[in-house]
Amino acid sequence: MNKKLIVITLVAFTSVLGLYFGLTTGGSGKSDSTDSSSDVKETEAPVVQPAPTPDASVILDGSVRYQTIDNFGASDAWSMDPLGKHWSEENKNQVADLLFSREKGIGLSAWRFNIGAGSNETDGSIIPDPWRRAEAFKTSESGDYDWSKQAGQQWFLQAAKDRGVNTLIAFANSPPVWMTKNGHAQPDPGVGSTNLQEGYEDEFAAYLIDVLEHFKQEGLAFDYISPINEPTWDWNRAQQEGNRYNNDDLKRVILELHRQLKESGNDAQISAPDGVEITSLLDDEYYQMFAGGGQYGSGANNLGTGKYREYIKDLLGDPELKEAIGNKIASHSYWSDYSKPGDDRLSKLRELLDANLKKYDAAAKYWVTEYCILGDYGPGRDLGMDPAMHVARTIHFDLTEANAAAWQWWTAVSKVDYKDGLIYTDFKEAGDEQNILTSKILWALGNYSKFIRPGAERVALTGLNEEAASELLGSAYVHEGEGTVTAVFVNDSEEEKRIQLSLKGLDASASIAALESYITSEGRDLARGEDVRLSGDHTFEAVIPAKSVVTLTGVGADMNGNGNGGDEAVQQNVETSPEGEQYAGYLFSYFTGEGTPDGEQVYFALSEGNDPLHWKELNGGKPVLTSTLGEKGVRDPFLIRSPEGDKFYMIATDLKINGDWNWDRAQRQGSRSIIVWESNDLLSWSEPRRVEVSPEEAGNTWAPEAFYDETTDEYVVFWASKLFADESHAGDAHQKIMYSKTRDFRTFSEPQVYMDFGYSIIDTTMIAHKGNIYRFTKDERDNQSASPYGKTVFQEVLGSVFDSGNRIIKEGVGGLKGVEGPTVFKSNTEQKWYLFADEFGSRGYVPLETTDLASGVWTLSPDYDLPSSPRHGTVIPITKSEYDAIYAKYLSQR
């Protein structure tokens, strides 16, 4: 089927909105360029004026909510291993950016990693294409694990994690060949109902968990494990890895894996059944409603070896199985992308799927875990808009009729003459040209994946005919964490369509007056277009061109669905100081390390406006504050603004390692004091003073920080100390977090233990949000099998500073190893938080970010320019007057 469509993604805040959409810049199609903002072709009209009468009046109603979106993703099979092994770093990074980066590509939020079965060693004669064979981490029952296998796939797995992909899924097409009946990674007619050896469910489960645990220790924890892939198909002589399982076989594998996951403590969830097509999922009664009678009989159902259908009934309808997989059904949706008379798969089939799921659980969740174009339209590589329109139309119906919570493409990179890739290459083996060809399918998917982020909720969009034959389709989404509203319109006609959009059911206390536009068309690859302005009557009127996918995006706040809207469009909120002045930037205080004589003093950097990722060093890159007290060095400077906003306190560790280099002395006989400065304007500072805060049995006082406790009107100052048995400081001790209270940073209460985990922890920092405290701490243990999160940062949540019901949200925050000195702060301009952490021995300070502080999911910021060598410090927001004064003192005469 060769359908054509258009998508527009729209984000805005106000009660009645409309958009005027001007076509502007674009980009070249059918190229290997990664520039998503290239110029439009001259043949395209620069602007199309809206007609007075719209083709449709559309209402986006944020008070009516449907499913929550978990992710958009793709799979690494089969191409990523040869690419990862043989391609240059530059080309691998270009592919990774296209797939995973929101700035340079389409920002996928899920990645499927194929756990190979070992056919690369055993099946060369029956799987002739080496790209469809895979290595295994263990090649015999008695052999050892070789974690160097699948190295190319591992490269892209790490690249996905580094670029912010927050859902990692492992899946197995076949058990390892040494567990199969025929010794191959695909069955044959003689193996019966499955190729897994009888009684090998426990070995298979143990193998999968070993793989999960290994990658978890590498900082690449999988969120999901799919042990079975397309059990429906017979897979005989399939020329790729695969295996069938009838429903009894499937049940044994899932239950054994569930048992071992619980026993091991691994928190990966089981994803199942990954059936081959939607019709295989349905109860027989629902299948008969769709087909007019009979039962699903494709694939292995013809072998006479058992039942390979009715997955919803046999999984969600079985309490034991439902406990193992939760309320989620994962499936592929091949051959389900068309609508014909009497065979409406786009609409009717998906409606029945949703109803069938809800029969067993009103909160049941559906994931599309594989799709590409198969059937008559599948053959033939086509980088153009026609297949992109076909795919975008399919995505629309999966999201709106099947209420899919996730949507994942099949193979991310293809080398074949088929419509199965997002990116294409002609590379086949080492030495071939490493060319990169982006398809319009990639960019059309990006109009969804880049802007409809995990946590978005689908909301009502009315005013359009939602039948499968409709020329104009639409869907809408709200993301409270990012403060966005998104509407996606699909124009399946040869002519442009005019719409008028109204927004209701959202609290419009924060809104925007303009939207950014991003366009995918024959001449554009998700290219930035002209901003769209709010019209005088508070509507957005859009001309939707034929054959294009367009995203309009803006940011606001308070989208709780409880408000009645508003009539005024207002500027986006910017955080303000306690005195009511808007913040205009950030000040970064830090030290630069023990490697130079003056590195253990206090340095400052100023952000480039409200951009917390780009900085200018102050004072010519020299220290701003110095101390000759105590040990004559200061480390870990922490800066806090008073609750009234008119005073600042700087505290720091009294320690100098340069010239001494004795870390044991520093922890056993180190300073028990902190250094304190005060300032009213961040320009003039008091002389430093040395204040003893630790008890006599403490061997050190490291990384002091302060948190203002509104309940007692006091600052809680906390730091790390080794507490020995007595004042001799002999014997062993571990680092604990201590605390003391003060109102003036001169008089302190008696120190007490704040956190004691029974092993060394240091560098605690915390931030408040919506009535909770989020606390970050370094696990100081060595990183080894007994302490896999040693030398990483963990995140906790507490109801208050001294809440004893603290709960760990995430260990190994950001997937970073060898990291310390975290500092956390909120964006001045959006619902986003930043965590700077010192990757000592590697990249130094790196920034992580999240739009959901409670999730524990932090991703590496893709574009940043920090000062040259910052170490453990603090970032605070500053007002425009403070920013201007600092700039004038340190930078205006530079």
Side-chain angles (χ1 to χ4, degrees), residues 524-574:
R524 301 176 175 90
D525 295 338
L526 203 58
R528 176 73 180 270
E530 184 178 279
D531 286 356
V532 178
R533 301 287 174 180
L534 187 66
S535 63
D537 64 353
H538 304 297
T539 63
F540 284 99
E541 295 183 357
V543 175
I544 307 175
K547 304 178 184 178
S548 71
V549 183
V550 179
T551 298
L552 304 181
T553 184
V555 181
D558 296 328
M559 308 215 305
N560 54 26
N562 298 320
N564 57 5
D567 293 329
E568 298 297 325
V570 298
Q571 294 296 325
Q572 176 184 334
N573 278 353
V574 177

Side-chain angles (χ1 to χ4, degrees), residues 127-196:
I127 305 179
D129 185 351
W131 283 43
R132 289 179 176 263
R133 302 194 296 262
E135 296 175 335
F137 295 116
K138 187 178 180 183
T139 56
S140 67
E141 189 160 7
S142 60
D144 295 328
Y145 282 97
D146 182 352
W147 299 115
S148 68
K149 298 295 186 180
Q150 299 186 235
Q153 289 174 249
Q154 292 192 53
W155 190 97
F156 280 99
L157 181 67
Q158 183 66 59
K161 182 74 172 180
D162 290 345
R163 287 163 175 80
V165 175
N166 55 14
T167 299
L168 300 179
I169 305 157
F171 73 101
N173 288 311
S174 165
V177 292
W178 51 272
M179 295 187 191
T180 64
K181 293 175 181 177
N182 63 9
H184 297 291
Q186 59 181 258
D188 56 56
V191 303
S193 65
T194 182
N195 199 23
L196 179 65

